[in-house]
Amino acid sequence: MRLACGIDFGTSNSSVGYMAGGEPRLVPLEGDSVSLPSAIFYPAYGGKLGFGRAAISLYIDRENGRLFRAIKSILGGSLIHETTAAGGRRVAFTAILGSFLRHLKEKTELSAGTAIDNAVLGRPVFFVDDDEAADRMAQEQLAAAARAQGFAEVLFQYEPIAAALDYERRIEREEIALIADIGGGTSDFSIVKVSPKNRRKIDRKDDILANAGVHVGGTDLDYRLSLKQVMPLFGYQTRQKKRPELDLPNGYFHDLAQWHRIAFLYNNKSLEELKQLRAIAGEPEKVERFIKAIDDRAGHRVAGDVEGAKIILSESATAMIDLAYVDEALMIETSRALFEETIANECRKLSDCVARCLKTAGVKAEEVDTVFFTGGSTFIPAIERACLVHTPQAKIVRGDKFASVGVGLTIDSGLKFG
């Protein structure tokens, strides 16, 4: 027997599942966990790749090699066609992306005990905002990467629709639901009619009242927090020594603050240019911290500590970012109030996106019965408030922040491929 699977390939975390006995079964991808960080570690001189938490641990333990995270972010752009040094050779980013999909496929086949020929992949409402050609190209690139790993047929489903399929399993009456999927790279919203009697319908287009999406996700929040509180201590927005009216060039600081750009800093050319930056800096000791972070290949560790502070701020009023491995005196205190101020523009974009979705659906706020949240960033209070501002009377239901989309895609794979 050959099966199909549903793959939630996320910017930050991924999951995969198949139907068994008429029920969706998510695959344990790392120990008992059905959620796997979307991370790959290439050992410096070849050898077995590391995935997920193991990949991150290899990097933190200073194993010689390269860590890649948020690789989904390169879809739809020119970086997908480039190569980078990894495993002692030049590797195409398409191959790096493919190696992660292959790992998911192999884990699924091991769990199911049979070959997996077909897949339903989740996709955001927009891979790329306001660029239909780039958005279409991103889907084509992801489909090509999946087919290259042995999937004969690859279909797509919107991630918020997949989350709606998961939510629909637990209801007893027809509802109008606003599905809010706030992921690592994108935020997607759908207004959907969900009903117990429609669970087995293959074609649900008449039940989808509207979709809307915006390229705002957890990694964008990390980026904003890093630029606000960490990068200035590495030289960002500091002045030049001989031309104090000018800031230092800022490109490298933006790279260090973005997960998917960090890998491009790990080369001799970047180090030499950073040393030139230090020579013209009015505060060279700050740029020296940047150089040390790159020389020690600690860029992803810095990004990880920023992300960790963001997560703590979901439940606490303050958090510390400990960067003693860069500079023993570098301990940064941040607060939820400052963080919320920093991401205010992102929150406005989310609120505006919900408003567009309601308008497109022709649904009044009071007609929305439920707001169903999934995705790790929905636990950030300011993000939740932004999503709820237009539907204050709706019931709030939380799905599994990392698994709801994967469950829905698995259900969809069973409907589409039998």
Side-chain angles (χ1 to χ4, degrees), residues 123-143:
R123 60 151 292 161
V125 174
F126 299 110
F127 281 104
V128 183
D129 290 345
D130 303 320
D131 191 333
E132 290 185 10
D135 185 76
R136 185 168 55 252
M137 182 171 62
Q139 178 170 304
E140 292 169 354
Q141 290 167 346
L142 183 53

Side-chain angles (χ1 to χ4, degrees), residues 349-417:
K349 289 181 180 179
L350 295 180
S351 178
D352 291 346
C353 193
V354 172
R356 288 198 304 274
C357 198
L358 288 166
K359 183 177 180 180
T360 301
V363 170
K364 298 177 181 178
E366 59 269 21
E367 294 176 308
V368 176
D369 298 295
T370 303
V371 178
F372 181 74
F373 280 117
T374 185
S377 296
T378 57
F379 282 76
I380 298 172
I383 297 298
E384 180 184 282
R385 292 197 302 271
C387 295
L388 294 173
V389 68
H390 298 292
T391 57
Q393 298 175 341
K395 175 180 64 178
I396 300 171
V397 176
R398 293 191 179 278
D400 188 304
K401 64 180 179 179
F402 295 134
S404 284
V405 171
V407 168
L409 292 171
T410 300
I411 293 169
D412 204 38
S413 73
L415 293 173
K416 289 178 175 173
F417 292 107

Side-chain angles (χ1 to χ4, degrees), residues 254-273:
H254 287 272
D255 286 347
L256 186 57
Q258 298 180 83
W259 282 105
H260 68 288
R261 298 288 310 179
I262 293 170
F264 291 97
L265 296 171
Y266 296 146
N267 57 71
N268 291 332
K269 180 175 180 290
S270 293
L271 276 173
E272 288 304 313
E273 291 179 354

